[in-house]
Amino acid sequence: ADEPHAVLAGRDVLAAGGSAADAAVAIYFMLAVTYPSAASLGGGGMCLVGDSQTGKVETLDFLGQISSGTSGVRVGVPSNPRGFFALHAKYGKLTWAQVIQPAENAARFGVQMSRASASEFQFAGNNLPKTALSLLFKSSDSGALYLERDTIIQRELASTLAMIRSRGAGTLYNGTYARQFVASANESGAALTYEDMQSLRPIWRSALEVLIDVRSSFYLPMPRTP
């Protein structure tokens, strides 16, 4: 991973008997706290998942659909939380709460900004957009970017992670939270609808296999289809 707190979260999950899928989920949610430029609660992705017992390799596609709104800029529907929930549901060994808790604790009680995170934000500097994400990493007193070893407390993010931990990732895509998110996105000029949030689903598919020799194969994610 790009940030050490996330690496440690994944290591701890593996040490507790978790699977590689559990570690991937823990790393992702910790990155959402400590290094959101790489993995925030928005965005999406694609995974290759291999089952060591069956030998099966498959694609988990959660890149996200394109929003369907007619007023504003069409955007990708945020799908990371639902994608990682699907990964854990199929291949996780620990409970969902166990893999979310480290990130929630880091957001609620504070975590020291690592050199990796500080360098990322210092590099962007004044080019950071005036969004909730950039303001989150500025000192409320001076307006300056946080520096390495500064302690960052993110109570609103902690509350969101607590909701994900207790109710599952689906809570972000239905009900009050989803409606508030859509309203905020619309105010920012995004053509996102509540129906877009409700209808988003990760897709499990096969993988492309390229045979190298009689014992080895090279796998690629199945290409996205319209």
Side-chain angles (χ1 to χ4, degrees), residues 106-177:
R108 187 178 307 282
F109 301 113
V111 62
Q112 281 193 336
M113 178 169 276
S114 66
R115 181 171 301 174
S117 298
S119 298
E120 181 80 355
F121 283 91
Q122 290 293 328
F123 177 77
N126 293 329
N127 293 322
L128 282 170
K130 301 298 184 181
T131 62
L133 176 62
S134 64
L135 294 176
L136 193 64
F137 284 85
K138 291 179 183 289
S139 167
S140 59
D141 297 326
S142 65
L145 290 170
Y146 285 113
L147 302 176
E148 182 183 354
R149 297 185 181 178
D150 285 346
T151 298
I152 314 297
I153 297 175
Q154 304 172 60
R155 293 188 177 89
E156 290 187 8
L157 179 56
S159 297
T160 300
L161 291 173
M163 184 171 60
I164 294 172
R165 170 182 53 78
S166 60
R167 302 179 188 176
T171 190
L172 300 183
Y173 297 87
N174 296 279
T176 302
Y177 185 93

Side-chain angles (χ1 to χ4, degrees), residues 3-10 26-27 30-31 34 106 111-114 117:
E3 198 279 328
H5 292 295
V7 174
L8 293 174
I27 288 172
M30 184 61 80
L31 284 171
T34 62
V111 62
Q112 281 193 336
M113 178 169 276
S114 66
S117 298

Side-chain angles (χ1 to χ4, degrees), residues 15-33:
S19 65
D22 289 321
V25 175
I27 288 172
Y28 158 68
F29 279 102
M30 184 61 80
L31 284 171
V33 175

Side-chain angles (χ1 to χ4, degrees), residues 23-143:
V25 175
I27 288 172
Y28 158 68
F29 279 102
M30 184 61 80
L31 284 171
V33 175
T34 62
Y35 202 85
S37 60
S40 68
L41 294 184
M46 186 177 287
C47 289
L48 270 179
V49 187
D51 188 323
S52 60
Q53 295 185 355
T54 64
K56 182 180 180 180
V57 179
E58 54 189 333
T59 301
L60 174 58
D61 185 343
F62 54 102
L63 278 175
Q65 64 196 38
I66 300 299
S67 62
S68 62
T70 57
S71 177
V73 179
R74 298 183 71 185
V75 296
V77 182
S79 55
N80 273 336
R82 208 156 220 176
F84 281 96
F85 187 82
L87 177 64
H88 177 268
K90 191 166 187 178
Y91 288 106
K93 292 183 179 179
L94 303 183
T95 66
W96 176 249
Q98 283 177 285
V99 296
I100 303 298
Q101 195 73 63
E104 180 188 341
N105 288 345
R108 187 178 307 282
F109 301 113
V111 62
Q112 281 193 336
M113 178 169 276
S114 66
R115 181 171 301 174
S117 298
S119 298
E120 181 80 355
F121 283 91
Q122 290 293 328
F123 177 77
N126 293 329
N127 293 322
L128 282 170
K130 301 298 184 181
T131 62
L133 176 62
S134 64
L135 294 176
L136 193 64
F137 284 85
K138 291 179 183 289
S139 167
S140 59
D141 297 326
S142 65

